């Protein structure tokens, strides 16, 4: 079984039980395949919304939603209002049904999710319908974080999949070109980097001194006040979107770091608990062995006493016969 297959199975485990199950699978394969064990150990715990999406993908429930995406995009390209309205109603119905199905699957697994998580599930399904690459990602069953569609921009797939190399096989049928997901992630990173706002010059350093050195200020002539900033200037929507995107990226990075730290702490705790269990088992075995050896010593002592008694009796009998 390859890493992608193991990852798909582990991602179906509820997030609360994920670390323990991941550790168990890693130990099970460590002796025979250390590379696979290392890959399993590095598998990230899925976000709750991603877990629900993976449950839906395992059931094959996302195909209708993803397949509806190309029709919606074509209708928007054709600017056909009637078709767009019809498809939007159909999309809303599909998204609602899938979100409810995901909630039911989570409840059946014993881990119901919150309305906020279901909102993320809904946003991920909508992103899969808007972007064929995102559609391929959600159908792969390897999702580890939720997705979101931002207008006409491509959906950010950076850090989305447990095994990006396994995803190209999932592109078929989605209407997307069969390109490796790593190329898409690299292109997305380049695009985001090119969108960073240019650094503005330091106005304080460019400002000229108010007066020349060694020259007395002219008190009779007032300087003209600097013009106040134009408060009526229209905000730059592009700049606001860039700032929002950068803030989202920073928050996502912080969230990933926190998740990684949590995973490491949970794994360390699980290892410590395993070691404690091993020590307790060894202590119990040692205690049982001490008890067994104590009983054996008592039995041996009793046998020795009886043997000495028999020896004494035999010696006494010999002496009596010799008289």
């Amino acid at each position: 079984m390859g890493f992608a297959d193991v990852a798909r199975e582990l991602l179906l485990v509820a997030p609360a039980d994920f670390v323990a199950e991941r550790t168990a699978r890693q130990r099970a394969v460590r002796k025979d395949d250390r590379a696979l064990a290392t890959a399993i150990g590095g598998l990230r715990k899925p976000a709750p919304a991603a877990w629900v999406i993976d449950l839906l993908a395992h059931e094959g429930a996302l195909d209708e939603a993803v397949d509806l995406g190309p029709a919606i995009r074509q209708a928007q390209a054709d600017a056909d209002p009637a078709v767009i309205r019809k498809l939007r109603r159909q999309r809303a119905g599909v998204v609602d049904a899938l979100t409810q199905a995901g909630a039911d699957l989570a409840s059946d697994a014993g881990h119901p999710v919150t309305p906020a998580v279901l909102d993320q599930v809904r946003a991920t399904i909508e992103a899969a319908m808007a972007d064929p690459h995102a559609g391929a990602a959600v159908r792969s069953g390897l999702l580890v974080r939720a997705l979101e569609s931002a207008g006409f921009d491509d959906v950010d797939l950076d850090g989305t999949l447990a095994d990006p190399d396994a995803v190209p096989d999932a592109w078929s049928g989605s209407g997307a070109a069969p390109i490796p997901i790593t190329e898409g992630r690299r292109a997305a990173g380049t695009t985001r980097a090119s969108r960073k706002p240019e650094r503005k010059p330091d106005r304080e350093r460019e400002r000229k001194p108010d007066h020349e050195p060694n020259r007395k200020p002219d008190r009779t002539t007032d300087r003209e006040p600097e013009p106040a900033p134009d408060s009526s200037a229209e905000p730059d929507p592009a700049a606001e979107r860039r700032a929002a995107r950068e803030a989202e990226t920073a928050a996502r990075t912080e969230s990933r770091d926190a998740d990684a730290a949590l995973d490491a702490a949970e794994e360390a705790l699980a290892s410590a608990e395993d070691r404690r269990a091993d020590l307790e088992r060894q202590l119990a075995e040692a205690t049982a062995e001490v008890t067994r050896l104590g009983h054996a010593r008592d039995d041996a002592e009793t046998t020795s006493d009886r043997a000495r008694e028999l020896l004494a009796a035999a010696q006494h009998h010999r002496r009596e016969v010799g008289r």
Side-chain angles (χ1 to χ4, degrees):
M1 181 179 290
F3 172 61
D5 297 321
V6 176
R8 285 189 178 95
E9 291 183 358
L10 286 174
L11 292 175
L12 297 177
V13 177
D17 305 324
F18 176 82
V19 172
E21 185 64 24
R22 180 186 62 188
T23 302
R25 293 297 294 270
Q26 183 183 20
R27 291 175 178 171
V29 303
R30 181 178 294 161
K31 182 178 179 181
D32 298 326
D33 193 336
R34 296 190 65 85
L36 178 58
T38 300
I40 293 174
L43 179 63
R44 285 182 53 208
K45 180 172 67 175
W51 171 61
V52 174
I53 291 292
D54 288 333
L55 291 177
L56 291 169
H58 181 68
E59 298 291 328
L62 296 168
D63 294 345
E64 180 182 358
V66 175
D67 291 340
L68 186 60
I72 295 175
R73 292 191 294 273
Q74 186 60 50
Q76 290 173 336
D78 296 340
D80 188 333
V83 176
I84 290 175
R85 283 194 299 271
K86 177 183 176 181
L87 290 174
R88 282 181 177 173
R89 287 194 298 270
Q90 185 178 353
R91 178 182 65 181
V94 170
V95 172
D96 287 343
L98 285 174
T99 302
Q100 184 59 51
D104 294 341
L105 288 173
S107 296
D108 292 342
H111 293 270
V113 292
T114 64
V117 170
L118 291 180
D119 288 342
Q120 294 179 343
V121 170
R122 181 185 301 274
T124 300
I125 297 171
E126 292 174 347
M129 301 170 81
D131 185 333
H133 301 303
V138 301
R139 294 172 79 175
S140 69
L142 293 169
L143 207 67
V144 294
R145 71 167 177 84
L147 304 180
E148 185 176 2
S149 177
F152 294 99
D153 292 340
D154 294 336
V155 175
D156 180 14
L157 297 178
D158 185 33
T160 295
L161 298 165
D163 185 5
D165 294 335
V167 173
D169 293 339
W171 295 99
S172 60
S174 68
I179 61 172
I181 189 63
T182 49
E183 288 186 18
R185 291 174 64 187
R186 198 156 44 239
T190 302
T191 301
R192 287 193 298 277
S194 65
R195 289 176 180 168
K196 291 183 178 180
E198 297 180 359
R199 186 174 181 179
K200 295 181 179 180
D202 190 345
R203 297 184 182 275
E204 293 297 330
R205 275 185 274 179
E206 291 182 355
R207 185 179 297 165
K208 295 181 180 180
D210 293 337
H211 58 275
E212 297 179 3
N214 302 325
R215 179 180 176 180
K216 294 183 180 181
D218 185 357
R219 299 181 182 276
T220 61
T221 305
D222 294 334
R223 288 180 301 163
E224 294 184 1
E226 295 183 2
D230 186 2
S231 59
S232 63
E234 292 293 331
D236 184 358
E240 291 181 352
R241 286 196 297 270
R242 283 195 300 269
R245 180 65 63 85
E246 289 176 358
E248 179 184 354
T249 300
R252 181 178 294 125
T253 300
E254 184 176 352
S255 176
R256 290 173 187 165
D257 292 343
D259 286 344
L262 176 60
D263 286 351
E266 289 178 339
E267 186 170 1
L269 176 61
S271 298
E273 289 176 345
D274 289 342
R275 289 195 300 271
R276 182 184 65 180
D278 289 339
L279 291 174
E280 290 176 348
R281 176 181 54 78
Q282 293 174 10
L283 177 60
E285 291 176 352
T287 302
E289 182 67 10
V290 169
T291 302
R292 185 187 68 79
L293 292 174
H295 290 323
R297 182 202 58 189
D298 293 342
D299 293 342
E301 185 177 1
T302 301
T303 302
S304 176
D305 291 343
R306 289 176 181 175
R308 282 195 297 270
E309 290 175 357
L310 289 174
L311 175 61
Q315 290 175 341
H316 178 72
H317 178 68
R318 180 177 56 79
R319 285 194 296 270
E320 290 294 329
V321 171
R323 289 178 186 175

